[in-house]
Amino acid sequence: MLYKTAPFSAGLALLIASFSITSAHAQTSVSITTPESVKTRIGTLSFDNGTPSAETSTAIYDNLDFTYAFRAFTDTFRGVSIEAIRQGFESAGIKDNEFVIFSELMDSASIFLTANADTVYYLSFLDLSDGPMVFESPPGALGTIDDMWFRWVIDFGRPGPDRGEGGKYLLVGPGYDGFLPEGEFNVAHSRTNRVVVLGRSFLQDNDPAPVVKQIKETTKVYPYAPGGVGMPIARFLEGGTKLGRNAEPKTPVFHEGTGLAFNTVPPNDYSYYEMLNDLVQAEPATTLDPELMGPIAAIGIRKGQDFAPDERMKNILTEAVALANASGRTLGFDPRDPSWHYYENSQWFNPLFAGGYKFETPIPEITADGAKPYPPTGYRQNSGRTSFFYLATGITPAMAMRLTGVGSQYLLASKDSDGNYFDGARTYKVTLPKDIPAEAFWSFTLYDNQTRSMLVTPQKYPRAGSQSYPSPAAIAADDGTTTVWMSPEQPDGVDRGNWVQTDPEKGWFIILRLYSPLPSFFDKSWRAGEIEVVNN
């Protein structure tokens, strides 16, 4: 009996096992297989036993190209932004290693992403392709140096190693392997062949003239001379390098910027990708993270190759840049992330506090024992990065730190207290409580929604603040509060310094700047008022 039942038991077990496997396959197949028809946002896709139809393949590849083109805008807009500045300078006759200086401050003639009308700007693109360059900064500066993908390289001036005393900066481009001195220079490495110098200096007694004079007299730009100042003789005696003559400091050419009408804002049509290609061709192939360069290469923009999209691809790029630009505008003017808003139930926001200047980790807390960094989050806040660079020029840790008395802080608002976008035809007011937390000075500046540049009105300088130049200073009330009005016409009984003119035909947004911010801003014991619409 035992002999006869054994084969039956084994067969039954095999049958059960086979059934179990078949059942498992049947249960799993639903999750790992693709049905013959799939409805998606790009249409209904068809598959024959898991393989795409010709129409489906076409739709999928069009969507892939669209996605890559979209990312080439949202993820790398910052690079095209700085290339647009460079090309804007070039159109105005400002060459590499030369400066543009706004001697009477920047006004609304220049199309420049959210520039201010409070400080003396001086800017330059330095070419490092032939070797390191020396930049001698003026005293009292508040400046930064970024590379051509708007990545921070080093600060100079008040937040930099010279701490506002003026210093020598040795800027080194990619691929340089020669001797670099120690001690004499503040050495900084760039991953791109060009860097942009973004300098600002405060007025002296509400007058830019002495500041401009000092900048022109003390700013120097010249090639580094290997083997000269900065290399000790002992190093020469070790061999492998040569002695050289000291570099000759040179005063750069300065071009006047005040009143200069030129555009530095990237396009938001097909030509955006042509400008992106200009940047890619000008810099080393490895200058950007391969993950970020991947989508750019996928749409046909590759180092050393012609960018020549066919008609199909041009149509996709045109559609992609339209949607990507719309995304930048939405992120910039209508943020949905509550962590961007600085106060609870407020329209004032800034994405830098949530992700820092790298858009990854919140900015450090400052305690009695020093800086207390937050642990890395391990992910990039891409929406914050897109929003910031869509509206702003330059990046530095000085824009995103809780350190009092150093740098500057910004709060932006695109809506009134009722949550409506600002209407240039209406009248608004905002009240700042007494003891505004700015050791140096504070200001409001209005910007055109379309250009994200200073609003063009007969005022020329669409600002109000504590400085009496280039417009009268705002006057505080008897209780110490300061109210500023925004409207097409100056309201009755309102001082000129407390009014910023608007254009009835244009929407606008506003930035509150606090220079050398004080503790009450960071601990939020002082809170900016909301902007309220006033019945006309």
Side-chain angles (χ1 to χ4, degrees), residues 275-354:
M275 190 171 285
L276 175 59
N277 181 62
D278 290 340
L279 174 59
V280 170
Q281 301 306 326
E283 296 297 339
T286 57
T287 191
L288 194 64
D289 186 301
E291 290 290 335
L292 291 174
M293 192 62 82
I296 296 173
I299 61 174
I301 298 176
R302 301 175 183 179
K303 175 73 173 179
Q305 299 182 22
D306 291 337
F307 175 51
D310 58 20
E311 198 63 29
R312 165 192 161 275
M313 195 64 186
K314 283 184 178 179
N315 291 334
I316 290 174
L317 293 172
T318 300
E319 183 184 4
V321 75
L323 185 58
N325 175 69
S327 301
R329 285 193 171 274
T330 301
L331 289 168
F333 296 134
D334 190 22
R336 68 177 180 180
D337 188 336
S339 69
W340 293 12
H341 291 268
Y342 196 59
Y343 309 108
E344 188 175 355
N345 299 319
S346 173
Q347 297 296 339
W348 293 108
F349 70 92
N350 185 337
L352 290 181
F353 282 93

Side-chain angles (χ1 to χ4, degrees), residues 80-425:
V80 181
S81 181
I82 198 167
E83 176 64 14
I85 299 173
R86 190 197 67 78
Q87 293 190 19
F89 279 25
E90 190 176 67
S91 71
I94 305 163
K95 301 176 182 178
D96 287 346
N97 306 328
E98 299 178 347
F99 274 79
V100 58
I101 186 168
F102 293 82
S103 299
E104 297 179 16
L105 309 191
M106 189 182 294
D107 60 17
S108 57
S110 300
I111 302 178
F112 217 108
L113 290 176
T114 54
N116 69 61
D118 307 313
T119 61
V120 177
Y121 276 114
Y122 41 104
L123 306 97
S124 177
F125 285 88
L126 304 186
D127 185 357
L128 312 179
S129 59
D130 291 331
M133 296 288 289
V134 178
F135 164 59
E136 295 188 13
S137 67
L142 180 62
T144 192
I145 297 173
D146 290 339
D147 74 7
M148 290 300 292
W149 287 99
F150 256 145
R151 293 173 299 204
W152 178 67
V153 175
I154 194 171
D155 286 331
F156 64 91
R158 297 168 188 260
D162 69 87
R163 301 293 178 86
E165 298 296 322
K168 293 182 179 181
Y169 293 82
L170 181 60
L171 305 171
V172 185
Y176 180 78
D177 60 359
F179 172 79
L180 292 175
E182 297 179 2
E184 180 70 17
F185 302 95
N186 298 300
V187 180
H189 293 265
S190 168
R191 286 175 278 179
T192 58
N193 288 323
R194 284 189 179 96
V195 294
V196 61
V197 178
L198 301 161
R200 295 172 291 164
S201 288
F202 296 164
L203 308 186
Q204 290 185 12
D205 298 323
N206 292 301
D207 184 2
V211 181
V212 171
K213 182 175 184 293
Q214 183 181 57
I215 292 169
K216 289 183 174 181
E217 289 178 346
T218 58
T219 300
K220 309 293 180 185
V221 172
Y222 50 95
Y224 165 65
V229 170
M231 188 183 78
I233 297 297
R235 174 64 184 83
F236 164 71
L237 296 176
E238 293 175 2
T241 187
K242 297 180 180 180
L243 288 176
R245 298 181 61 183
N246 293 340
E248 180 183 352
K250 295 181 179 179
T251 300
V253 173
F254 282 93
H255 299 261
E256 182 52 56
T258 302
L260 183 63
F262 66 115
N263 176 41
T264 68
V265 176
N268 56 9
D269 56 16
Y270 168 77
S271 62
Y272 170 89
Y273 297 103
E274 295 177 324
M275 190 171 285
L276 175 59
N277 181 62
D278 290 340
L279 174 59
V280 170
Q281 301 306 326
E283 296 297 339
T286 57
T287 191
L288 194 64
D289 186 301
E291 290 290 335
L292 291 174
M293 192 62 82
I296 296 173
I299 61 174
I301 298 176
R302 301 175 183 179
K303 175 73 173 179
Q305 299 182 22
D306 291 337
F307 175 51
D310 58 20
E311 198 63 29
R312 165 192 161 275
M313 195 64 186
K314 283 184 178 179
N315 291 334
I316 290 174
L317 293 172
T318 300
E319 183 184 4
V321 75
L323 185 58
N325 175 69
S327 301
R329 285 193 171 274
T330 301
L331 289 168
F333 296 134
D334 190 22
R336 68 177 180 180
D337 188 336
S339 69
W340 293 12
H341 291 268
Y342 196 59
Y343 309 108
E344 188 175 355
N345 299 319
S346 173
Q347 297 296 339
W348 293 108
F349 70 92
N350 185 337
L352 290 181
F353 282 93
Y357 78 100
K358 292 183 178 180
F359 306 96
E360 190 268 339
T361 300
I363 61 177
E365 296 287 347
I366 304 300
T367 71
D369 297 324
K372 183 181 179 182
Y374 285 92
T377 62
Y379 59 86
R380 191 80 63 204
Q381 297 185 19
N382 290 345
S383 292
R385 180 176 64 189
T386 299
S387 171
F388 178 84
F389 283 109
Y390 191 80
L391 298 176
T393 299
I395 191 69
T396 164
M399 288 180 168
M401 60 183 180
R402 294 185 172 92
L403 193 59
T404 60
V406 180
S408 51
Q409 291 298 329
Y410 310 83
L411 292 179
L412 182 150
S414 57
K415 299 178 181 179
D416 63 27
S417 58
D418 295 323
N420 299 313
Y421 294 113
F422 298 121
D423 181 346

Side-chain angles (χ1 to χ4, degrees), residues 343 346 348 411 413 417 422 428-437 442 444 464 474-486 494 498 508 510 512 514 526-534:
Y343 309 108
S346 173
W348 293 108
L411 292 179
S417 58
F422 298 121
Y428 299 85
K429 69 175 182 178
V430 58
T431 298
L432 299 180
K434 66 177 182 178
D435 300 325
I436 298 172
W442 65 270
F444 283 120
I475 298 175
D478 292 342
D479 62 359
T481 63
T482 303
T483 300
V484 174
W485 299 67
M486 291 73 68
V494 174
N498 295 66
W508 53 271
I510 189 170
L512 168 63
L514 302 172
W526 181 92
R527 172 171 171 160
E530 299 299 302
I531 301 176
E532 302 173 351
V533 64
V534 179

